């Protein structure tokens, strides 16, 4: 093809010389118009397999991220971690805000919080010289409050007189599972906790697992209604893998529980969490219909109108999967997270402040919800470690999540959101698993 080159002198203020090249036969110089890229949409497949899975962290240096973590850890400890009642505990109203989740009016703490506190202490022990002492005091508090069903599990609710609440002597499985993980990690870190860790694992298998290897809501959930249900935030595949590492006759049971959970929650999500644009990857707070027909719970099943939505229980699901991805490299975790990450990044338009506090499984938001909760931002940020297969967009999203998360003052949130923020920051700062 024949080309020509001409010079055009253009007097533009300073009299700069412009050189323009054109293809013979063109009617006008200048760059060729490039059509804009197609807008991203949610995944068209339930759990596609990216060519390469990723582990993405905020672009801030690790040193800077650890400094932010140390600062928030100090604030969190001063407000919520208390020595007293012949041990130590996480005061869920240490910020003078109410404790939710059906707890007693004068609640001091709940087993969920106790598990978080013990887990955080092990994870922060590489940076906090007081961690071992505080951990042992939290273990003493755990020992002082066994469930009515027996040793090895914790009564789920204590009041300000240091006693179990009137209806607080049954269990909540998530608290016991996190306590079990904390004890096993403590034994790896310091030694001396193997026996109590094994005791808690055995008690969970005996009293908090259904016959089809799903996690019960607690030791009380054995009837025809609640005995066929499970909570998405109690699926902790990284913990189950760690429990299996302990070996013994129970190892294969933990592997079965892990595999069963992946199968049930991924199938439920692919069946129910979709819209005309694609899949969201979301899961409900609670499912029912075990063992044969798992499905989202109806409203008011246990806690409220959002029991069948992605709400204040299910928000922890991405974090639980991310722990498994970071610690075991299980691609089932990465595949599910990739769908969630792509959907929430597109839905929020890259702006974490637009993340809502509840989503229906199809991705729509109920009318009464707010946006910008540190708890939801934190858990999506933890899940964002796995990315979605779009490296540039995923990195920008991770950076936005981290920046917004660390900017939220502790006093703007309650125990629950602040604690989830802490646990996410530990992962995002690469403080755990520690090398």
């Amino acid at each position: 093809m024949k080309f020509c080159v001409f010079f055009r002198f253009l007097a533009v203020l300073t009299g700069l010389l412009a050189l323009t090249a054109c293809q013979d036969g063109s009617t006008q110089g200048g760059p060729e118009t490039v059509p804009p890229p197609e807008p991203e949409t949610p995944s068209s497949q339930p759990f596609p397999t990216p060519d390469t899975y990723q582990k993405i962290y905020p672009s801030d240096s690790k040193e800077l991220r650890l400094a932010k973590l140390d600062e928030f850890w100090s604030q969190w400890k001063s407000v919520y971690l208390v020595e007293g009642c012949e041990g130590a505990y996480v005061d869920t109203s240490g910020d003078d805000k109410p404790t939710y989740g059906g707890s007693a009016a004068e609640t001091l703490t709940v087993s969920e919080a106790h598990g978080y506190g013990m887990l955080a202490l092990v994870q922060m022990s590489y940076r906090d010289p007081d961690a071992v002492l505080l951990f042992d005091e939290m273990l003493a508090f755990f020992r002082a409050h066994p469930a009515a069903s027996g040793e090895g599990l914790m009564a789920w609710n204590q009041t300000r007189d240091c006693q179990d609440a009137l209806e607080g002597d049954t269990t909540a499985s998530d608290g016991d599972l996190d306590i079990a993980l904390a004890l096993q990690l403590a034994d790896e870190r310091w030694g001396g906790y193997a026996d109590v860790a094994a005791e808690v694992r055995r008690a969970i298998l005996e009293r908090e697992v259904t016959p089809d290897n799903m996690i019960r809501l607690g030791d009380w959930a054995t009837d025809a209604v609640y005995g066929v249900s499970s909570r998405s935030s109690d699926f902790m595949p990284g913990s189950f893998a760690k429990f299996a590492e302990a070996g013994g006759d129970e190892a294969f049971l933990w592997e079965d529980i892990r595999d069963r959970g992946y199968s049930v929650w991924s199938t439920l999500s692919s069946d129910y969490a979709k819209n005309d644009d694609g899949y969201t990857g979301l899961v409900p707070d609670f499912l029912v219909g075990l063992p044969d027909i798992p499905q989202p719970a109806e409203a008011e099943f246990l806690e409220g109108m959002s029991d069948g939505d992605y709400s204040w229980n299910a928000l922890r699901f991405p974090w639980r999967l991310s722990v498994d991805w970071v610690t075991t490299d299980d691609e089932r975790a990465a595949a599910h997270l990739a769908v969630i990450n792509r959907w929430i990044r597109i839905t929020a338009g890259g702006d974490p402040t637009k993340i809502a506090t509840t989503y229906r499984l199809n991705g729509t938001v109920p009318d009464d919800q707010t946006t910008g909760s540190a708890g939801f931002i934190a858990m999506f940020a933890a899940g964002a470690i796995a990315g979605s297969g779009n490296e540039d967009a995923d990195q920008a999203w991770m950076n936005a999540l981290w920046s917004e998360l660390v900017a939220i003052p502790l006093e703007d949130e309650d125990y629950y959101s602040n604690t989830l923020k802490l646990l996410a920051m530990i992962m995002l700062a690469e403080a755990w698993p520690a090398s």
Side-chain angles (χ1 to χ4, degrees):
M1 182 177 292
K2 182 179 178 182
F3 290 85
C4 71
V5 177
F6 69 88
F7 293 89
R8 177 182 299 168
F9 290 90
L10 183 63
V12 181
L13 297 179
T14 58
L16 293 174
L17 180 66
L19 177 64
T20 307
C22 71
Q23 186 175 4
D24 190 25
S26 67
T27 59
Q28 184 177 353
E32 181 182 353
T33 301
V34 178
E38 292 292 327
E40 279 193 289
T41 59
S43 176
S44 60
Q45 303 177 46
F47 304 111
T49 304
D51 293 335
T52 57
Y53 289 110
Q54 308 171 75
K55 290 187 176 74
I56 300 172
Y57 293 94
S59 295
D60 285 352
S61 69
K62 185 174 180 179
E63 181 181 14
L64 181 56
R65 283 179 276 141
L66 287 170
K68 291 288 188 182
L69 171 61
D70 289 341
E71 179 183 5
F72 189 71
W73 169 244
S74 178
Q75 294 173 6
W76 185 90
K77 277 179 61 182
S78 68
V79 173
Y80 298 112
L81 192 53
V82 178
E83 294 176 278
C85 295
E86 299 182 1
Y89 56 90
V90 174
D91 186 347
T92 55
S93 293
D95 51 16
D96 295 324
K97 296 174 183 176
T99 304
Y100 297 103
S103 58
E106 292 297 316
T107 285
L108 180 75
T109 193
V110 292
S111 62
E112 165 201 271
H114 208 75
Y116 292 155
M118 293 180 72
L119 198 55
L121 283 167
V122 179
Q123 294 168 340
M124 291 300 295
S125 64
Y126 294 87
R127 307 188 63 77
D128 187 337
D130 296 328
V132 179
L133 173 62
L134 290 168
F135 186 89
D136 286 342
E137 290 178 341
M138 290 199 78
L139 177 56
F141 188 95
F142 165 77
R143 286 294 206 189
H145 297 278
S149 62
E151 298 286 337
L153 303 180
M154 184 174 175
W156 82 274
N157 187 189
Q158 288 73 46
T159 48
R160 297 207 165 269
D161 57 0
C162 300
Q163 303 298 311
D164 294 339
L166 183 61
E167 297 182 358
D169 60 357
T170 56
T171 75
S173 297
D174 57 346
D176 294 321
L177 286 163
D178 281 332
I179 290 168
L181 178 61
L183 288 166
Q184 190 165 334
L185 294 175
D187 189 64
E188 293 178 1
R189 177 80 174 95
W190 308 308
Y193 301 89
D195 289 345
V196 63
E199 177 189 358
V200 178
R201 291 196 304 270
R202 285 193 300 270
I204 292 170
L205 288 173
E206 291 170 359
R207 289 177 264 161
E208 293 181 332
V209 177
T210 69
D212 64 315
N213 286 335
M214 292 292 286
I215 300 298
R216 297 187 190 277
L217 305 178
D219 61 356
W220 56 272
T222 58
D223 62 12
V225 176
Y226 298 109
V228 295
S229 65
S230 193
R231 178 171 30 222
S232 53
S233 52
D234 294 353
F235 176 54
M236 307 180 190
S239 299
F240 305 154
K242 176 61 69 173
F243 298 160
E245 287 180 12
D249 296 339
E250 300 163 353
F252 76 94
L253 291 174
W254 290 114
E255 290 291 358
D256 286 349
I257 291 167
R258 188 166 179 257
D259 291 342
R260 172 65 171 159
Y262 266 121
S263 175
V264 168
W265 289 109
S266 62
T267 299
L268 184 148
S269 184
S270 63
D271 286 347
Y272 291 93
K274 53 189 174 182
N275 53 44
D276 291 342
D277 293 325
Y279 291 85
T280 67
L282 300 178
V283 293
D285 277 7
F286 302 97
L287 66 72
V288 295
L290 293 173
D292 299 323
I293 314 173
Q295 56 193 285
E298 296 291 335
E300 302 291 357
F301 166 71
L302 181 63
E303 293 188 1
M305 290 299 297
S306 297
D307 285 350
D309 297 332
Y310 181 90
S311 194
W312 289 95
N313 284 293
L315 88 164
R316 294 169 286 184
F317 188 76
W319 168 55
R320 299 296 191 186
L321 292 187
S322 191
V323 169
D324 198 27
W325 173 229
V326 168
T327 57
T328 76
D329 291 327
D330 194 308
E331 293 188 353
R332 291 174 294 184
H336 199 141
L337 284 170
V339 178
I340 296 174
N341 292 337
R342 182 181 177 91
W343 167 80
I344 189 58
R345 173 170 54 78
I346 294 169
T347 297
D351 183 354
T353 66
K354 294 182 179 178
I355 294 175
T357 50
T358 292
Y359 290 95
R360 301 183 184 94
L361 298 190
N362 66 5
T364 59
V365 180
D367 292 337
D368 59 345
Q369 300 303 309
T370 60
T371 58
S373 161
F376 278 81
I377 293 172
M379 297 291 93
F380 278 125
I385 290 173
S388 70
N390 185 333
E391 186 172 354
D392 291 342
D394 291 336
Q395 186 65 67
W397 178 234
M398 172 60 85
N399 291 343
L401 288 163
W402 171 257
S403 295
E404 180 60 29
L405 184 63
V406 299
I408 300 173
L410 180 140
E411 56 267 22
D412 285 2
E413 300 285 348
D414 61 5
Y415 135 76
Y416 187 59
S417 286
N418 279 323
T419 304
L420 296 185
K421 174 180 174 177
L422 171 66
L423 295 167
M425 287 182 68
I426 289 171
M427 289 191 69
L428 296 168
E430 298 177 82
W432 182 81
S435 58

